Amino acid sequence: MPAQGGFSLIRVSAVVAGVAAACYYTPANWIEETAARYPNLLFHVAALFIAKDFIIPTLVAWCFTGPHMSTRRKTMVATWEPAGKTGEIYASFEFDMTNAKKYIEQKAKQGVHVTITTLVVKAVGNALKAVPSVNGRIVFGQYIPFDSVNVSCLVNIDNGKDLALCSIPNVDSSSLDDISAVIRRQADKLRKGKDEDFEKSKSSLSKMSVSSVQKLLPFVGFLASGLGLTIKALGVKRFLFGGACVTSVGMMGLDNVYVPFTPWARIPIFVMVGVCKDRAVVENGQVVIKPILNITCTIDHRFLDGAQGAELAKELRRSIEQPETYLEAHNAVKAEASCFSTEIAPSPMGELSHVTAETNAF
């Protein structure tokens, strides 16, 4: 395989030979007969669209012998357009993790594995509950709220070569213990290649050209994330990402990274967890050393204005900086309320959903 990539003479010859054979064995009046049999203009437009955007790009991609493109990279190339076409809000936060680190250590002694990312997932769920205008999607220009608070997070698979999505339903009413268990269970299943839906979607994308993926993703996103339809043939479940997606680059030592929007996913907010490290801060006029966590958010401006953003930030800070005081009390209230309920509202999301974006590890 050429280092810089190029076209394989053998594959190009095979395509040319195939086209020549098709032309030779096709009756001379085939085009006229087909046009007479299908006079509807819509049929011809659809046939032209399929040939131009799927068949021809796929053949060209097959003839090209460049470096292998992963499904993640292929999806990224097919997703983003030039900047300036969307209304985005970028926010950056610094959180004092003194109490949170003690809380995580306390949980570890109890045999519960809680990470900083898990804590952030729970905090984001509480924030979505407090600011319901962010927990929904826009379809045909109309805002439609979700029935429950679901948050997704991305995990590394194949030793960091690809990504997969874990979906955590009902985050606002789930304990940190439950959230940690769901993420570990789903991540383990994904990394072992035992999730049929993800493997199906991965296989479908790997066989398509970038141009084909570019045409397909917005349509699939509209059906799954907009209308809430499950597409079994592609391994795609309804409401792929929920109200927010959390990912992390903290393990890479990066302080601040802003996640670019993935338009077809229709996610109101992306949350990126940065590195947590000791820093000098001023407290009561004294310079002290404290563990500081950097978090950035990329928000769709259509869902949120300044006042709602302030409420969202307030809820995030309270949940992350005071987990023992706030999250435990929050879960206790939820548990008490559930004792008086005989029904559990179904989650609008399946247990697992998939597709790709940035990087995360647990």
Side-chain angles (χ1 to χ4, degrees):
M1 181 179 293
Q4 299 298 325
F7 286 95
S8 168
L9 181 60
I10 296 177
R11 293 187 179 185
V12 172
S13 301
V15 171
V16 172
V19 172
C23 293
Y24 179 80
Y25 288 105
T26 299
N29 62 343
W30 176 79
I31 296 179
E32 290 80 359
E33 290 181 355
T34 303
R37 185 178 302 175
Y38 304 101
N40 193 334
L41 178 62
L42 182 62
F43 170 81
H44 298 285
V45 173
L48 181 62
F49 171 79
I50 293 174
K52 179 178 74 71
D53 291 327
F54 289 92
I55 297 178
I56 295 176
T58 299
L59 290 175
V60 173
W62 181 70
C63 292
F64 185 78
T65 58
H68 174 70
M69 184 179 292
S70 67
T71 55
R72 175 181 65 174
R73 181 62 54 185
K74 186 180 295 185
T75 305
M76 291 169 65
V77 173
T79 294
W80 289 297
E81 298 180 354
K85 293 189 177 182
T86 58
E88 302 171 0
I89 299 175
Y90 298 96
S92 178
F93 305 94
E94 293 184 349
F95 296 100
D96 180 358
M97 298 298 288
T98 302
N99 294 329
K101 293 188 72 173
K102 292 179 181 178
Y103 179 78
I104 292 174
E105 292 173 359
Q106 178 183 345
K107 283 291 184 180
K109 293 178 180 179
Q110 298 172 0
V112 179
H113 180 66
V114 175
T115 66
I116 290 178
T117 302
T118 307
L119 193 70
V120 173
V121 168
K122 174 62 178 174
V124 169
N126 289 352
L128 292 180
K129 185 71 173 180
V131 187
S133 67
V134 185
N135 187 42
R137 76 270 191 199
I138 294 177
V139 183
F140 297 119
Q142 299 296 317
Y143 172 75
I144 303 175
F146 288 129
D147 295 330
S148 60
V149 178
N150 302 325
V151 177
S152 58
C153 64
L154 293 162
V155 296
N156 280 323
I157 60 174
D158 295 337
N159 296 319
K161 297 179 181 178
D162 210 341
L163 294 166
L165 194 74
C166 290
S167 172
I168 307 98
N170 304 309
V171 173
D172 61 317
S173 59
S174 299
S175 68
L176 278 168
D177 304 25
D178 295 334
I179 294 172
S180 297
V182 169
I183 294 176
R184 288 200 309 275
R185 182 171 64 250
Q186 293 187 12
D188 183 65
K189 189 176 181 180
L190 287 165
R191 287 166 179 156
K192 291 181 178 179
K194 296 182 178 180
D195 188 273
E196 295 181 1
D197 286 328
F198 177 70
E199 295 301 319
K200 186 183 297 183
S201 63
K202 183 178 177 181
S203 175
S204 300
L205 286 174
S206 66
K207 298 174 182 177
M208 300 175 65
S209 67
V210 172
S211 179
S212 300
V213 174
Q214 192 172 27
K215 303 297 181 183
L216 182 64
L217 282 180
F219 181 64
V220 172
F222 171 72
L223 295 179
S225 299
L227 301 182
L229 301 178
T230 296
I231 308 174
K232 294 183 178 180
L234 298 177
V236 177
K237 292 190 176 181
R238 63 199 303 255
F239 301 127
L240 299 175
F241 290 89
C245 181
V246 178
T247 184
S248 173
V249 291
M251 80 293 299
M252 301 177 185
L254 297 175
D255 292 334
N256 290 304
V257 174
Y258 291 91
V259 183
F261 259 117
T262 307
W264 49 264
R266 296 171 177 260
I267 310 172
I269 178 171
F270 280 97
V271 180
M272 174 64 79
V273 182
V275 69
C276 179
K277 61 183 181 181
D278 291 339
R279 288 175 52 185
V281 298
V282 178
E283 184 177 66
N284 298 325
Q286 301 292 324
V287 177
V288 295
I289 303 299
K290 288 193 173 186
I292 302 297
L293 174 67
N294 291 302
I295 290 181
T296 60
C297 296
T298 307
I299 307 168
D300 189 333
H301 203 345
R302 297 175 300 171
F303 291 86
L304 179 131
D305 57 24
Q308 294 164 323
E311 182 64 25
L312 190 77
K314 176 182 176 182
E315 189 69 31
L316 282 175
R317 186 169 299 281
R318 182 164 54 176
S319 297
I320 294 174
E321 293 189 346
Q322 305 174 44
E324 187 171 13
T325 301
Y326 181 71
L327 293 184
E328 294 293 342
H330 181 80
N331 291 330
V333 172
K334 287 289 183 180
E336 182 179 352
S338 66
C339 294
F340 297 95
S341 174
T342 57
E343 292 185 26
I344 299 179
S347 167
M349 296 181 65
E351 182 182 353
L352 266 175
S353 312
H354 315 285
V355 188
T356 59
E358 282 295 320
T359 105
N360 193 17
F362 294 87

